[in-house]
Amino acid sequence: MRMIVCSCNIISKQEIEEVIIELLQDDPWRLIVPGVVYHAMNARGKCCGCFPGVVDIIVATTQKFHEEQQTPSAEIICFMDKLKKHHDACETARMIARHRQLKTRKQA
């Protein structure tokens, strides 16, 4: 069964995983974010509601990729920590933007 992650672009989890693996094969330490994945698929985020799920897929796929490549655990942990910090910063920025948007609507 094909699990659709992005309903705006009709993109499946498997398609996202395949793109991530291709990107990692080109550069195993590249920081991959949803925009990079979508660009590689000639798509763009529309509502961006799927981005948190795409980040989860990126994290899991990246970790699995490095485990299969037998990358030393210390290197994987360091990289995953950097990825998590980036994700957390994006989530914080998104929450702040959402709060400002709601505040603006209430004032209007």
Side-chain angles (χ1 to χ4, degrees), residues 78-98:
C78 180
F79 180 74
M80 299 309 287
D81 285 345
K82 288 179 185 178
L83 185 59
K84 178 158 178 27
K85 286 178 186 175
H86 179 73
H87 173 64
D88 290 346
C90 289
E91 284 298 304
T92 299
R94 191 166 64 101
M95 290 172 62
I96 290 169
R98 186 178 304 146

Side-chain angles (χ1 to χ4, degrees), residues 31-45:
L31 180 60
I32 300 173
V33 295
V36 170
V37 173
Y38 278 61
H39 181 75
M41 300 176 90
N42 294 319
R44 66 178 184 85

Side-chain angles (χ1 to χ4, degrees), residues 53-100:
V54 173
V55 170
D56 291 340
I57 295 168
I58 292 168
V59 170
T61 305
T62 300
Q63 187 167 5
K64 182 179 176 186
F65 174 86
H66 283 286
E67 288 170 356
E68 290 173 356
Q69 299 298 314
Q70 298 180 347
T71 304
S73 295
E75 291 181 34
I76 295 172
I77 291 169
C78 180
F79 180 74
M80 299 309 287
D81 285 345
K82 288 179 185 178
L83 185 59
K84 178 158 178 27
K85 286 178 186 175
H86 179 73
H87 173 64
D88 290 346
C90 289
E91 284 298 304
T92 299
R94 191 166 64 101
M95 290 172 62
I96 290 169
R98 186 178 304 146
H99 176 73
R100 286 181 183 155

Side-chain angles (χ1 to χ4, degrees), residues 15-58:
E15 291 170 312
I16 293 169
E17 290 170 338
E18 290 170 359
V19 167
I20 294 165
I21 290 168
E22 288 175 15
L23 292 168
L24 290 170
Q25 288 171 339
D26 288 341
D27 179 0
W29 299 110
R30 179 179 186 167
L31 180 60
I32 300 173
V33 295
V36 170
V37 173
Y38 278 61
H39 181 75
M41 300 176 90
N42 294 319
R44 66 178 184 85
K46 294 178 183 172
C47 78
C48 302
C50 60
F51 276 21
V54 173
V55 170
D56 291 340
I57 295 168
I58 292 168

